[in-house]
Amino acid sequence: MEAVNQLSSTGTFRALKEPLAFLRVLEWLFAIFAFATCGGYSGGLRLSVDCANKSESDLSIDIAFAYPFRLYKVTFDAPTCEGKRRETLSLIGDFSSSAEFFVTIAVFAFLYSLAATVVYIFFQNKYRENNRGPLIDFIVTVVFSFLWLVGSSGWAKGLSDVKIATDPGEVLLLMSACKQQSNKCMPVRSPVMSSLNTSVETGWHSSGQRHPPDTMEKQSSSYNQGGYNQDNYGPSGGYNQPAGFGQPANYSQVGEYGQQQSYSQSGPTSFANQI
């Protein structure tokens, strides 16, 4: 503790107040945030298959997946609604390359930022000797900036594909039981992607658009033939009234049972005082 106080009093840590070291500290924190939100992710979804024969139903099918998002290795069992036979399915896609590249760049950026900060604080004289230190630092920084841009772009595309592959509606289409009209297939819980969204978005990027939050529990209509069944309600009624006073107005409306009703009304009635 005395050594830290002595270094602080002699101005050794003064470099942290300068933009060079201060930016390195920020890069160090951002790198931690990047690989922690992506590399430490684990999520899941839950589905429900309600067979015509209730004894064959499975109302809680849990599917878990995590980094590095080799989804084709994620398997789960689902009922076929044909006796007690079940089928083993797997998710679709392998997005490990973009995820691992992004995390790798973030880890190396973390290590380099930490090493550069130590050099700025304790080896300031050697760093500025013959200007070789700043030149090497500049070249490495440019390389990391380019790799970070490439990695972030690739992972943004990979994240979009992960969301599609783990969407409950898309997963239900893989089940043979959900292709039969007599069975009802519903998503129960969607995966929460908020931490993955923060790994590729910033407040400035997402301020112009609003995304609905991921719902933990949601109800939806049943799947039949790989799609949704939804009743359409469309009562139609029309009112036609010619402009002007003193002219008859016709009101026509299609009733609930398909019968047409007409109403006639004359113009305003005139009252005259009789003497």
Side-chain angles (χ1 to χ4, degrees), residues 22 64 92 114 202 214 226:
F22 180 74
I92 299 176
L114 180 61
T202 63
D214 295 327

Side-chain angles (χ1 to χ4, degrees), residues 206-233:
S206 59
S207 60
Q209 53 184 355
R210 297 287 183 178
H211 297 284
D214 295 327
T215 57
M216 295 297 296
E217 301 290 337
K218 65 179 182 180
Q219 298 291 336
S220 66
S221 57
S222 62
Y223 281 84
N224 287 320
Q225 300 294 341
Y228 291 96
N229 287 337
Q230 183 178 6
D231 296 330
N232 295 324
Y233 301 91

Side-chain angles (χ1 to χ4, degrees), residues 233-267:
Y233 301 91
S236 59
Y239 298 91
N240 298 321
Q241 181 179 5
F245 294 95
Q247 298 179 357
N250 295 325
Y251 299 88
S252 61
Q253 180 178 6
V254 179
E256 183 178 0
Y257 300 97
Q259 299 178 355
Q260 183 173 2
Q261 300 174 355
S262 300
Y263 304 92
S264 299
Q265 179 180 358
S266 60

Side-chain angles (χ1 to χ4, degrees), residues 33-85:
F33 189 74
F35 69 73
T37 54
C38 181
Y41 177 82
S42 61
L45 61 150
R46 179 176 296 173
L47 307 174
S48 171
V49 178
D50 189 6
C51 301
N53 185 356
K54 302 300 181 181
S55 62
E56 303 171 358
S57 302
D58 190 346
L59 305 181
S60 180
I61 304 175
D62 292 317
I63 305 173
F65 61 96
Y67 173 86
F69 307 105
R70 293 186 178 94
L71 300 183
Y72 70 95
K73 292 185 177 181
V74 178
T75 60
F76 59 96
D77 293 334
T80 60
C81 296
E82 297 176 355
K84 295 297 182 179
R85 187 174 65 88

